[in-house]
Amino acid sequence: MKFSLITLATLAAPAFAKVYYAGVAESGGEFGVWNDNGVGRGLPGRFGSDYAFVNKTAIDVMVKDDKINLFRLRSFWSYFDLFYDAVQYVTARKRRYVLLDPHNYMRYNYHFAQPYSGSIIGDVNDPNAATTQDFKMFFTELAKRFRHNTRSSGHAFTTGNGNEPSSDYLHLMKDPLNNTAIEIHEYLDDNYSGSGANCTQPVSRLDGVTNWLKQHGLKAIITEFGGGVNPECAQALKEYIDYLEEKEVWIGWTA
Ligand SMILES: *[C@@H]1O[C@H](CO)[C@@H](O)[C@H](O)[C@H]1NC(C)=O
Ligand SMILES: *[C@@H]1O[C@H](CO)[C@@H](O)[C@H](O)[C@H]1NC(C)=O
Ligand SMILES: *[C@@H]1O[C@H](CO)[C@@H](O)[C@H](O)[C@H]1NC(C)=O
Ligand SMILES: *[C@@H]1O[C@H](CO)[C@@H](O)[C@H](O)[C@H]1NC(C)=O
């Protein structure tokens, strides 16, 4: 399970269970970092062949036929202008919501290895690490570019895979506007990573975090979950979505 924080564009707080946002996690700009020359050699990458943020035709289909209202758009550290275009397409043109996801886990490295390896941002002993100043500049710039876009919201930091130490701290964060939700990833395969084809974990694995959210008066959104293409997983995923709909703390998901 991975935790992160998002601030939501608009979050009302009714007393009943409500999924406000349901949609798709797009893979995106982070793939530009890799090419045939090897790990990390792809930067800055060629837009449209090494990477893209969205497939606009596919967005059109998902909005029209699947009636989804949220796209989680992943970007890398740069590419602001092209990313901006993708965000505008979803929010201004299609009038749907975007979760802005700078997909770096506070680390600089090869995207397939994230979040388990790489230079930790702010590590002064590592010459490859981005500095905390870089980190601040990045998020300031990101926030500046999208702060007037009421259909976008930010995704940020903290990672891990189960028994998160961050659960001792995340609830201490104070948002004066009460407009923050915790973002969580949880797959249904053996080690919750999404790399196995079989859905062996029951959705009741979410009970712990559901109770933690309730205990601290927090809301959350699952932005990565899924299973293999088989009937058992189809059933498990249905139960998963039903679970999120039943529990008041869950306000949305992207698969
Ligand atoms: C974009 O999406 C459309 C509709 O799903 C699909 O036909 C097309 O192949 C996609 N383009 C790329 C480059 O993946
Ligand atoms: C946020 O929630 C807290 C605790 O429920 C409440 O005291 C405070 O007034 C709320 N603030 C806003 C801006 O709604
Ligand atoms: C989870 O298990 C799969 C094998 O089923 C393995 O390939 C993958 O690296 C594991 N992922 C993590 C995060 O431990
Ligand atoms: C997934 O389940 C199928 C059917 O039960 C089984 O044949 C296969 O070995 C399982 N795969 C893994 C990686 O456990």
Side-chain angles (χ1 to χ4, degrees), residues 117-139:
S117 70
S119 299
I120 298 171
I121 292 165
D123 181 353
V124 291
N125 297 315
D126 177 352
N128 294 319
T131 63
T132 47
Q133 192 57 30
D134 293 336
F135 189 73
K136 180 179 167 193
M137 270 168 54
F138 174 81
F139 277 97

Side-chain angles (χ1 to χ4, degrees), residues 175-178:
D175 170 7
L177 298 178
N178 291 344

Side-chain angles (χ1 to χ4, degrees), residues 48 55-59 61:
N55 172 341
K56 291 179 180 174
T57 314
I59 297 278
V61 172

